[in-house]
C-alpha cells in the first residue's frame, strides 16, 4: 500500500514537471508525442481516469519528454498596436498587466524595447492600425507609412492617388462675381428693341446716350463725344463697328450714317427705310445689313452710289435682331413678330423660318467654334434660350432662364457663352456648352438694378460690357484668356480696383 502511494506521488510529480515546461496561457493547449500516439495534456496536475490507467500500464513510456516545443507569439500586431496606443496616450507600459504577459519583468521589458527598435521602423501616430481622429472626413495619406494603407481609403481609390497625379488636375478658372469697372451712362434709352452698344477691334467702346454717341477708349480711359443728331426726338437707335475706324449709326429718322472715327467726320448718309433703324450687322467690309420698324431688311453696298442692292422680306413687325455668321455665309434675323429667319447671301427669301419663340427675338449669337450652331433668346413672354442647328433647322436644346433674354455673347477661348436678362432678375448668366446642344449654368452675375438691355465682348475675348436701364456700364472679366493662367487672372483681379466708377461723358 505504501509502495502504491509512492508510485502515485511519482506520477503526479512527473506531470507537474511536464506542465512547467509548457508556457502558462489561458486555454493554451499543446500536444506531446508519447509512445507514438499524440495525447492531450491539460493544465491540471491530475489527468482523467482513462489516462491514469494507460499510465499505470506502461510507466516507462510515460517518462519520455516532448520531442518539440511551440513557443508563444506575444509580439503579434495586436499586442504591438495595443502597446503603441498606450504609449501615445501616455500610459506607463510597465504598469500594464495583460492576460498573456503575467510574468512581466524589467529584463523582458528592456529586451522587447531593444528588439522593437532594431526590427520595427520609427513609430509615428499615423502608423497605428486604427487611427482614430476627431474629424471624420480626414483621411491619412498612404505615403506616410510605406507598405500600409488606410482602412478608409483602399489602394486604387481616389483618396490613395499620389500627389503627383493630383498635381496634374486642371486648375479651376477664377470667375469674379463683381464687375471689373463701372461707368455712368446717363440718358441711355430704356428700349428693348434697340442696339446701342458695340466694341471695336481697336479697343474703343461706342455707346449711344439719347441723341449722342460717345466713344470710350478702353486702353487710355479717355472719353469724347462723336456726334449728336439734329431734331427733337431723333435719338440714336442702333450702331455697329465696321472695318478699321468706320462706325455705322442708325437713327430714329430712318437715316444710316457712316463715320470715320479717326477723323471725327461723317463719310456718307444712306436712306431706304420708312421707320427707325433698330438693328445693323456687317456682312463684309463693304456690305451693311440693316433692319427697321418697317419690317424690312436692306442690304447696302457702302462703296456704291446706289447703295441699296437687296430687300429681304420675311418679317411682319420690327426687326430688332440681326447677326451675320463668322463665315459670312448665313444671316440670322429676329423680329417683334416672334419669328427667327435664316438667310443665305444673294437670296431674297428666308431659307428657314422658325416660330418656336413666344416673344420678340432680339438676342442672336453664332457659335465661333462650331459652324451652323446659333443661340437665340426670347423676350418677357418667352424667357427661353434655344440652340439651333441651322443646317436643318433642328432645335438642339431649349433652356428656360426665368427672365427676359436681351443679349447673348459666346467666348472665343472656352466653350461658354453669357446671356444678359431683363425682367425679372436683371442678371447675367454664364453657361458652359457641353456639346450637342447641352448647356450647364456656371454662375450668375448680379449688380444691375434694371434690365440689362445690351452686351458686347472685348477684342481680346476676356471681358464683356453690359449696359442697363439703370444708366450704368459694367465690365465683367469672366471669360478665360489664352495667354494668362487662371492663377494670374485671379491675382490681377485681386490687385485691380474693382469698383472704379467714372462717367462716360
Amino acid at each position: 500500500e505504501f509502495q502504491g502511494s509512492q508510485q502515485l506521488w511519482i506520477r503526479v510529480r512527473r506531470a507537474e514537471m511536464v506542465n512547467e515546461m509548457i508556457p502558462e496561457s489561458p486555454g493554451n493547449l499543446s500536444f506531446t508525442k508519447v509512445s507514438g500516439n499524440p495525447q492531450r495534456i491539460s493544465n491540471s496536475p491530475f489527468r482523467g481516469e482513462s489516462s491514469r490507467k494507460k499510465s499505470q500500464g506502461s510507466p516507462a513510456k510515460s517518462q519520455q519528454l516532448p520531442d518539440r516545443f511551440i513557443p508563444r507569439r506575444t509580439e503579434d500586431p495586436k499586442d504591438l498596436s495595443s502597446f503603441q496606443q498606450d504609449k501615445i496616450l501616455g500610459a506607463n507600459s510597465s504598469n500594464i498587466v495583460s492576460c498573456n504577459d503575467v510574468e512581466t519583468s524589467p529584463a523582458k521589458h528592456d529586451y522587447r524595447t531593444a528588439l522593437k527598435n532594431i526590427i520595427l521602423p520609427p513609430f509615428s501616430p499615423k502608423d497605428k492600425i486604427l487611427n482614430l481622429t476627431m474629424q471624420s472626413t480626414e483621411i491619412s495619406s498612404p505615403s506616410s507609412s510605406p507598405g500600409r494603407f488606410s482602412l478608409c481609403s483602399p489602394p486604387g481609390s481616389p483618396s490613395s492617388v499620389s500627389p503627383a497625379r493630383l498635381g496634374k488636375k486642371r486648375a479651376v478658372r477664377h470667375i469674379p462675381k463683381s464687375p471689373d469697372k463701372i461707368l455712368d451712362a446717363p440718358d441711355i434709352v430704356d428700349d428693348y428693341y434697340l442696339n446701342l452698344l458695340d466694341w471695336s477691334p481697336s479697343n474703343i467702346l461706342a455707346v449711344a446716350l439719347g441723341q449722342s454717341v460717345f466713344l470710350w477708349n478702353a486702353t487710355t480711359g479717355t472719353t469724347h463725344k462723336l456726334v449728336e443728331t439734329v431734331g427733337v426726338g431723333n435719338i440714336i437707335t442702333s450702331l455697329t463697328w465696321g472695318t478699321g475706324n468706320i462706325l455705322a449709326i442708325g437713327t430714329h429718322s430712318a437715316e444710316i450714317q457712316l463715320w470715320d472715327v479717326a477723323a471725327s467726320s461723317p463719310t456718307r448718309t444712306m436712306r431706304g427705310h420708312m421707320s427707325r433703324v433698330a438693328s445693323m450687322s456687317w456682312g463684309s467690309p463693304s456690305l451693311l445689313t440693316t433692319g427697321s420698324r418697317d419690317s424690312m431688311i436692306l442690304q447696302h453696298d457702302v462703296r456704291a452710289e446706289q447703295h441699296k442692292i437687296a430687300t429681304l422680306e420675311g418679317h411682319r413687325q420690327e426687326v430688332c435682331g440681326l447677326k451675320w455668321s463668322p463665315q459670312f455665309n448665313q444671316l440670322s434675323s429676329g423680329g417683334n413678330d416672334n419669328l427667327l429667319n435664316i438667310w443665305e447671301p444673294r437670296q431674297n427669301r428666308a431659307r428657314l423660318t422658325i416660330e418656336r419663340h413666344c416673344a420678340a427675338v432680339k438676342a442672336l449669337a453664332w457659335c465661333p467654334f462650331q459652324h451652323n450652331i446659333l443661340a437665340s433668346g426670347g423676350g418677357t413672354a418667352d424667357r427661353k434660350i434655344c440652340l439651333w442647328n441651322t443646317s436643318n433647322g433642328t432645335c438642339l436644346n431649349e433652356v428656360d432662364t426665368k427672365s427676359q433674354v436681351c443679349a447673348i455673347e459666346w467666348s472665343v477661348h472656352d466653350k461658354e457663352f453669357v446671356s444678359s436678362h431683363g425682367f425679372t432678375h436683371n442678371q447675367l448668366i454664364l453657361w458652359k456648352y457641353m456639346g450637342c446642344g447641352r448647356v450647364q449654368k456656371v454662375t450668375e452675375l448680379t449688380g444691375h438694378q434694371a434690365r440689362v438691355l445690351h452686351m458686347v465682348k472685348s477684342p481680346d475675348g476676356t471681358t464683356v460690357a453690359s449696359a442697363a436701364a439703370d444708366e450704368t456700364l459694367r465690365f465683367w472679366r469672366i471669360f478665360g484668356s489664352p495667354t494668362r493662367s487662371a492663377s494670374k487672372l485671379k491675382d490681377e483681379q485681386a490687385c485691380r480696383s474693382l469698383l472704379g466708377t467714372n462717367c462716360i461723358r
Side-chain angles (χ1 to χ4, degrees):
E1 187 176 53
F2 172 78
Q3 186 177 1
S5 301
Q6 186 178 8
Q7 292 179 357
L8 176 62
W9 181 84
I10 291 173
R11 288 197 300 268
V12 171
R13 181 55 183 166
R14 286 176 179 173
E16 291 177 355
M17 292 175 61
V18 173
N19 290 333
E20 286 178 359
M21 298 180 62
I22 301 175
E24 294 181 6
S25 176
N28 191 8
L29 299 176
S30 63
F31 292 89
T32 182
K33 187 175 182 181
V34 179
S35 301
N37 297 323
Q39 293 184 358
R40 186 176 181 181
I41 299 177
S42 64
N43 294 331
S44 174
F46 296 98
R47 303 176 189 175
E49 292 297 328
S50 61
S51 299
R52 186 181 304 171
K53 291 179 182 180
K54 292 182 181 179
S55 179
Q56 290 177 358
S58 57
K61 295 182 180 180
S62 63
Q63 297 178 4
Q64 297 181 4
L65 297 177
D67 61 344
R68 64 192 181 96
F69 174 69
I70 302 176
R72 291 185 300 163
R73 298 293 191 265
T74 57
E75 289 295 342
D76 54 33
K78 293 187 293 183
D79 294 337
L80 178 61
S81 175
S82 176
F83 170 76
Q84 291 175 346
Q85 288 178 359
D86 295 335
K87 181 179 178 181
I88 295 302
L89 295 176
N92 188 1
S93 60
S94 61
N95 297 329
I96 299 177
V97 179
S98 62
C99 60
N100 292 332
D101 197 13
V102 181
E103 299 177 356
T104 302
S105 64
K108 287 187 177 181
H109 177 71
D110 295 340
Y111 171 75
R112 290 177 180 177
T113 304
L115 186 65
K116 180 175 69 68
N117 294 334
I118 294 173
I119 298 177
L120 300 179
F123 173 74
S124 65
K126 294 183 179 180
D127 290 335
K128 293 188 294 184
I129 295 178
L130 294 178
N131 187 15
L132 302 179
T133 57
M134 296 301 295
Q135 298 180 359
S136 59
T137 58
E138 182 180 355
I139 300 178
S140 60
S141 174
S143 61
S144 61
S145 56
R148 298 188 183 183
F149 295 92
S150 173
L151 294 178
C152 49
S153 58
S157 64
S159 59
S160 62
V161 180
S162 62
R165 294 183 62 184
L166 292 177
K168 296 180 181 179
K169 198 172 183 179
R170 184 179 178 183
V172 179
R173 188 177 87 250
H174 174 68
I175 302 175
K177 297 298 184 66
S178 302
D180 195 50
K181 193 177 186 61
I182 300 178
L183 298 177
D184 290 332
D187 299 332
I188 190 170
V189 180
D190 184 6
D191 194 328
Y192 174 78
Y193 303 100
L194 306 185
N195 293 272
L196 307 178
L197 188 67
D198 200 13
W199 208 328
S200 75
S202 57
N203 208 19
I204 298 177
L205 185 72
V207 57
L209 303 178
Q211 296 185 213
S212 304
V213 174
F214 286 85
L215 303 178
W216 180 71
N217 192 321
T219 304
T220 62
T222 59
T223 304
H224 75 278
K225 183 168 68 173
L226 177 66
V227 61
E228 183 174 356
T229 58
V230 179
V232 178
N234 188 20
I235 61 173
I236 306 295
T237 54
S238 60
L239 52 82
T240 181
W241 286 97
T243 304
N245 296 319
I246 299 299
L247 178 65
I249 300 173
T251 65
H252 190 271
S253 59
E255 285 185 348
I256 302 167
Q257 302 178 10
L258 299 181
W259 282 75
D260 185 354
V261 174
S264 298
S265 61
T267 58
R268 70 176 302 175
T269 300
M270 299 180 295
R271 294 183 177 273
H273 287 291
M274 305 300 296
S275 185
R276 69 179 187 180
V277 182
S279 57
M280 293 189 294
S281 180
W282 288 91
S284 70
S286 59
L287 178 64
L288 178 64
T289 305
T290 59
S292 172
R293 184 183 276 179
D294 60 9
S295 73
M296 298 294 180
I297 299 175
L298 299 183
Q299 304 270 31
H300 306 270
D301 187 348
V302 298
R303 302 169 301 177
E305 183 178 358
Q306 300 295 327
H307 55 84
K308 188 172 70 172
I309 59 176
T311 301
L312 309 181
E313 299 182 8
H315 291 277
R316 299 184 297 270
Q317 296 186 33
E318 183 172 15
V319 181
C320 54
L322 275 178
K323 191 71 67 175
W324 277 96
S325 65
Q327 298 78 26
F328 302 113
N329 57 356
Q330 294 183 92
L331 172 67
S332 60
S333 65
N336 195 28
D337 52 2
N338 309 341
L339 295 181
L340 171 62
N341 289 331
I342 305 299
W343 312 78
E344 290 184 349
R346 296 177 295 276
Q347 299 292 330
N348 295 336
R349 297 187 61 181
R351 181 172 61 86
L352 290 174
T353 298
I354 301 172
E355 301 180 356
R356 191 181 186 94
H357 287 286
C358 303
V361 183
K362 177 193 174 186
L364 298 172
W366 291 91
C367 180
F369 50 83
Q370 188 171 356
H371 299 174
N372 301 326
I373 299 297
L374 174 68
S376 63
T380 306
D382 184 72
R383 305 179 301 178
K384 294 182 178 63
I385 294 177
C386 295
L387 295 171
W388 306 94
N389 183 352
T390 58
S391 60
N392 52 21
T394 304
C395 181
L396 302 177
N397 195 6
E398 181 182 273
V399 181
D400 187 1
T401 64
K402 311 298 183 182
S403 296
Q404 178 187 45
V405 184
C406 301
I408 299 174
E409 286 289 341
W410 285 88
S411 171
V412 295
H413 306 311
D414 298 292
K415 292 185 177 182
E416 298 174 341
F417 66 89
V418 62
S419 57
S420 67
H421 300 270
F423 303 120
T424 56
H425 300 295
N426 306 323
Q427 84 278 38
L428 278 73
I429 303 179
L430 181 62
W431 306 86
K432 183 176 181 59
Y433 183 71
M434 311 296 290
C436 299
R438 296 177 294 113
V439 297
Q440 179 182 2
K441 182 188 292 186
V442 178
T443 186
E444 291 191 11
L445 306 172
T446 59
H448 282 291
Q449 304 302 317
R451 53 183 182 170
V452 188
L453 297 170
H454 316 287
M455 185 174 59
V456 290
K457 182 174 52 187
S458 63
D460 62 357
T462 62
T463 306
V464 293
S466 58
D470 58 2
E471 298 185 347
T472 62
L473 285 172
R474 297 173 187 259
F475 297 83
W476 312 83
R477 197 180 187 87
I478 57 176
F479 287 148
S481 172
T483 58
R484 283 171 287 184
S485 62
S487 60
K488 290 184 178 180
L489 288 176
K490 186 175 181 179
D491 294 339
E492 291 177 5
Q493 178 68 18
C495 297
R496 190 183 295 110
S497 176
L498 297 180
L499 298 178
T501 304
N502 297 311
C503 186
I504 203 168
R505 72 174 187 180

